[in-house]
Amino acid sequence: MVLGLRSAIGSDVGRRRTSNQDSGATTGRLLIVADGMGGHAHGEIASATTVSAFTEMDARLPEDLSDVDLDAELNSVLADATDRLGQRASDDPETRGMGTTVVSLLLTGEQLALAHIGDSRIYRLRAGELDQLTHDHTMVQQLVDQGQITPEEAAHHPRRSVLMRALSTDHAPEPDLDRIDIAEGDRFLLCSDGVTAVLDDDALRQELGSGTEPEDVVARLIELSNDGGGPDNITAIVADVVDVPADAPQAQHLRVAGAAAEIATSN
């Protein structure tokens, strides 16, 4: 059995923002969501730049990743993205202070290599059970970890979006890296907090387990997030682990969404 990914991606500005600072991209083996921050400091540039660094990494890596040190590659691409942001800020002082979250998965054999900074999230639905595979790098999550507030209190805390870690020009990246075993039938969700600020785990489990195609689930998550007020930009990737014929072509057309797509179109 050869495992592959069948994915869909979508992004929406939401109901309360005037621009989309989220970016995302998918290929046959790479999934990435980046939620830019900085407001007038051009968070959309930070997210699009980071997504571009990841897709360029994917393009230059060999088809067979079995002999590739993926932790080293992921650390390297995050450092590269940080350098690009720093150079942009040096060239254009108005962009100083921009940054972005990152969640990414890279398929290698029967595992996914995970990289995470910030409060965008990755979930896995397996046999009806939903698991969050990332741990938010936020002040509120730190308070939960220390037992000072409950998860229920954290969901409505006024400072729940304050990040303790992000990819930015201020310091070297500090990612969480992991390897995730996969099986046929697994479904993954990568999303910005425009989804999770509105939809709780029960809602995510229901939509991911609906039996519909990834494209339909992405559209539904965006619709529900907007119906719930759309307080932030909304970006989601839904990917199914599928059995693919051994002789099937592994390459999949690059798809980008959000600011990455808008900036590419305008250039």
Side-chain angles (χ1 to χ4, degrees):
M1 178 184 295
V2 177
L3 296 177
L5 297 174
R6 185 175 66 231
S7 64
I9 184 171
S11 188
D12 189 84
V13 69
R15 296 283 174 83
R16 302 184 194 173
R17 304 287 185 174
T18 58
S19 64
N20 194 348
Q21 297 192 343
D22 285 0
S23 292
T26 65
T27 68
R29 61 182 180 182
L30 173 69
L31 314 171
I32 178 171
V33 168
D35 179 354
M37 60 187 188
H40 295 297
H42 305 293
E44 70 277 5
I45 295 174
S47 68
T49 298
T50 299
V51 164
S52 179
F54 270 78
T55 58
E56 290 172 22
M57 172 199 71
D58 178 47
R60 71 172 178 266
L61 286 175
E63 182 176 327
D64 183 357
L65 298 176
S66 57
D67 293 328
V68 176
D69 185 340
L70 290 179
D71 283 358
E73 289 291 343
L74 291 169
N75 276 314
S76 178
V77 72
L78 289 166
D80 177 32
T82 300
D83 289 344
R84 296 186 192 194
L85 297 186
Q87 185 60 54
R88 180 60 182 259
S90 177
D91 294 341
D92 182 0
E94 288 188 2
T95 64
R96 290 175 183 167
M98 65 178 172
T100 186
T101 70
V102 182
V103 284
S104 72
L105 293 173
L106 181 63
L107 177 66
T108 168
E110 296 183 351
Q111 288 188 321
L112 289 166
L114 178 154
H116 161 58
I117 304 175
D119 64 350
S120 296
R121 293 180 180 176
I122 300 175
Y123 293 86
R124 180 185 61 198
L125 184 74
R126 173 180 287 176
E129 294 295 323
L130 184 72
D131 292 306
Q132 182 178 331
L133 303 181
T134 52
H135 196 69
D136 292 350
H137 300 144
T138 60
M139 182 189 72
V140 166
Q141 183 61 56
Q142 192 172 80
L143 294 176
V144 173
D145 295 343
Q146 294 169 351
Q148 297 186 38
I149 62 174
T150 66
E152 292 73 23
E153 290 171 330
H156 304 286
H157 197 283
R159 304 192 70 188
R160 60 185 177 275
S161 296
V162 176
L163 295 177
M164 303 300 291
R165 276 195 256 171
L167 193 149
S168 71
T169 61
D170 298 332
H171 49 74
E174 302 176 69
D176 290 343
L177 303 178
D178 202 357
R179 295 291 181 90
I180 308 300
D181 292 329
I182 58 174
E184 184 182 6
D186 286 349
R187 172 166 279 185
F188 289 87
L189 168 66
L190 292 75
C191 62
S192 62
D193 65 346
V195 176
T196 54
V198 177
L199 305 179
D200 61 16
D201 284 3
D202 288 339
L204 295 177
R205 184 183 299 106
Q206 179 176 336
E207 296 306 321
L208 292 171
S210 63
T212 55
E213 292 298 311
E215 292 82 359
D216 299 322
V217 179
V218 167
R220 180 66 173 160
L221 292 173
I222 292 173
E223 177 187 11
L224 290 173
S225 298
N226 274 323
D227 287 348
D232 203 347
N233 304 146
I234 305 158
T235 301
I237 294 172
V238 174
D240 291 340
V241 178
V242 296
D243 181 18
V244 296
D247 58 352
Q250 295 300 304
Q252 181 172 305
H253 179 63
L254 169 65
R255 292 170 292 177
V256 295
E262 294 169 11
I263 290 173
T265 301
S266 65
N267 289 339

